[in-house]
Amino acid sequence: MAPIEDPLLLLRHSIASSGKITPTTSADSSDEVPLSKATHLVFSSPDRVAVPIDAPTRFTSTEGKAIDVRSIYFAWLNRDLTIPEYNAIAIKLNDEMAGSAAVHMFAFVERLVLFTFLEGAQEESEFIKPLPGGQDTTAGVSVSARVAGATSKAAPSSSGRAGRGTLDPRLAQIYNGERRMGDRNTVLRGIKATDFSHVRKLAAPFMTRKPGGGPSTAPGVGSTTALALNQKPARRPDPIILLSPSASALLRMSNAKSFLEGGRYAPPDASAPASMLHISRLIKDIDPSRPMRFILVEGPEQFKPEYWNRVVAVFTTGQAWQFKNYRWSNPAELFKHVLGVYLGWRGDEPPESVRVYGHRVMACSVEKWRDPGQPGAETSRWRDREVVEGIWKGIEANMRSKGWRKDAAPTSI
């Protein structure tokens, strides 16, 4: 009866000897199939050996779970990919297997140890269990001998005469006395993986903060009060409000500050061509301790791509040309991401182009403007503040839903 081969050593030997490894649908088959449909891995060198593809190996994950043959072979096939790229194709393979099996998504350290072992540059690791010492390890010995034999046979030809006759015994003795160069894995890490878990405890005071904003103290670590005195508070990005550049808009750059900050409407002044305004507003549910500064602009011409994540409201008159240079030029798509606000006269119906947007656009109305010299003109403006508070209430609810915090803006909206 042939000895049972260890899958890890089989794979390591096949890599060293450039042997063929074939995924098949049975132990007796030699037809290669996709990895998602394979049931066995067939090793052709030095003797034909078939290993069940779901068989566990001696390689364990950081959680102590034995990794199966399919996961290790799949990781080796995609060893040149980055972690995100590898995870993406691993998810695709798992979808193809439709729950019947799943490949393990290796962490960075696990991949490094696995590839170093399979390349022959490492013998021991905390992730690789040793072969059982109490039983006959003929399988492990046989494969180890084959690996050593393949290496010793390859060494004279690669280092000496490249297959042209036998190597001079004296030259072979010199080569055997040379110091062998290691690869980047053995140079940087040695023969065993270094455990850096203790660094997490040292980094905890620097990375963790209490809900109140102050630094937290990790167990076993001294107070970080002195460290907090030297740290600058995190700068919060300013939210952005886009106004309509239309000449028919009731709210323009010239009167937006007095309306949104002062609570009183006045008609826009065409002779005040401001390109940007700053207004302040205390948003209690996000930061009750300090007012937030809002940036008001009429167009996104100077926007960087990340600025769109800070847009909290768009004032519109319903004219589609306003959105031509927006990130979302389709109004229906735009108002899925950003709150829309229409400001019109009390008693007038919003235009049809605004009504079709539905609840995604807040329709507000103010009292029609009357000459302050007319009797009762000022008393009609008491409703302005009520309208302003309603607009801010909508903006605040939208900001909370998008993930605004007291020290950070959302990464996407």
Side-chain angles (χ1 to χ4, degrees):
M1 176 178 173
I4 300 175
E5 305 284 4
D6 179 71
L8 275 181
L9 294 179
L10 269 173
L11 183 57
R12 182 176 180 179
H13 166 65
S14 295
I15 293 170
S17 60
S18 300
K20 185 177 180 181
I21 305 174
T22 308
T24 64
T25 54
S26 68
D28 299 327
S29 175
S30 297
D31 297 331
E32 185 172 357
V33 298
L35 205 57
S36 59
K37 299 179 180 180
T39 60
H40 289 76
L41 274 188
V42 176
F43 298 86
S44 60
S45 175
D47 300 321
R48 187 183 188 281
V49 179
V51 177
I53 202 166
D54 292 329
T57 67
R58 294 184 291 117
F59 193 94
T60 59
S61 65
T62 53
E63 294 83 12
K65 176 184 176 182
I67 308 302
D68 60 295
V69 175
R70 178 190 283 109
S71 298
I72 290 181
Y73 179 62
F74 181 73
W76 173 256
L77 289 179
N78 300 284
R79 59 191 178 279
D80 295 329
L81 300 181
T82 62
I83 291 289
E85 293 172 338
Y86 165 76
N87 289 340
I89 63 173
I91 292 174
K92 182 179 179 180
L93 177 60
N94 289 339
D95 293 340
E96 293 175 357
M97 292 188 290
S100 60
V103 295
H104 175 71
M105 296 186 186
F106 289 85
F108 174 77
V109 176
E110 294 175 354
R111 276 167 50 103
L112 182 62
V113 172
L114 175 63
F115 299 157
T116 307
F117 175 82
L118 294 179
E119 290 170 352
Q122 183 172 341
E123 297 295 336
E124 299 177 353
S125 170
E126 58 182 333
F127 296 108
I128 303 175
K129 294 181 179 180
L131 288 169
Q135 64 180 31
D136 183 11
T137 57
T138 307
V141 173
S142 64
V143 175
S144 300
R146 293 169 188 172
V147 174
T151 305
S152 62
K153 291 177 182 178
S157 61
S158 60
S159 60
R161 303 175 58 84
R164 296 173 294 175
T166 58
L167 189 64
D168 187 286
R170 291 174 296 178
L171 188 56
Q173 185 178 5
I174 294 174
Y175 285 152
N176 291 333
E178 288 182 347
R179 180 180 179 182
R180 297 189 179 278
M181 300 297 294
D183 60 6
R184 60 183 179 87
N185 295 323
T186 56
V187 171
L188 294 177
R189 303 189 64 87
I191 63 171
K192 291 187 178 180
T194 306
D195 183 10
F196 291 103
S197 60
H198 66 284
V199 178
R200 296 179 182 175
K201 295 181 180 179
L202 300 178
F206 301 90
M207 304 299 294
T208 309
R209 289 181 176 273
K210 292 180 179 178
S216 65
T217 303
V221 181
S223 174
T224 58
T225 304
L227 176 64
L229 296 176
N230 297 326
Q231 290 181 339
K232 295 181 179 180
R235 184 182 182 278
R236 176 179 56 205
D238 296 331
I240 299 173
I241 296 176
L242 281 169
L243 301 180
S244 172
S246 173
S248 63
L250 299 188
L251 197 67
R252 300 292 302 276
M253 297 294 288
S254 58
N255 63 344
K257 187 176 182 68
S258 62
F259 181 66
L260 294 177
E261 195 173 58
R264 185 180 187 279
Y265 179 80
D269 183 4
S271 62
S275 60
M276 183 174 66
L277 286 177
H278 295 95
I279 62 174
S280 295
R281 173 79 181 188
L282 185 64
I283 309 296
K284 295 182 179 180
D285 286 352
I286 296 177
D287 189 352
S289 61
R290 53 176 176 163
M292 299 186 73
R293 188 178 75 161
F294 291 78
I295 299 175
L296 273 62
V297 293
E298 285 189 342
E301 289 77 11
Q302 305 298 325
F303 270 27
K304 296 180 180 179
E306 61 269 20
Y307 286 5
W308 280 103
N309 296 330
R310 295 161 49 188
V311 176
V312 296
V314 173
F315 282 78
T316 180
T317 58
Q319 296 167 296
W321 61 263
Q322 174 186 349
F323 316 118
K324 181 178 179 181
N325 297 325
Y326 281 28
R327 178 179 177 181
W328 301 281
S329 57
N330 184 356
E333 181 67 20
L334 170 69
F335 295 125
K336 289 180 181 179
H337 300 273
V338 183
L339 173 69
V341 182
Y342 169 78
L343 186 66
W345 296 123
R346 188 179 300 275
D348 293 349
E349 287 290 331
E352 178 64 23
S353 57
V354 172
R355 292 199 297 269
V356 297
Y357 301 150
H359 69 281
R360 300 186 187 278
V361 175
M362 177 189 300
C364 306
S365 56
V366 294
E367 295 291 338
K368 292 185 178 181
W369 176 256
R370 296 180 358 181
D371 188 348
Q374 296 180 3
E378 288 298 321
T379 58
S380 66
R381 304 254 58 90
W382 66 273
R383 294 177 179 267
D384 292 349
R385 183 169 291 278
E386 179 183 0
V387 175
V388 171
E389 291 301 320
I391 292 174
W392 281 116
K393 185 176 180 181
I395 293 176
E396 183 174 352
N398 176 70
M399 292 177 67
R400 289 198 310 269
S401 67
K402 298 301 181 182
W404 279 87
R405 303 194 307 271
K406 64 186 299 182
D407 57 352
T411 57
S412 62
I413 60 173

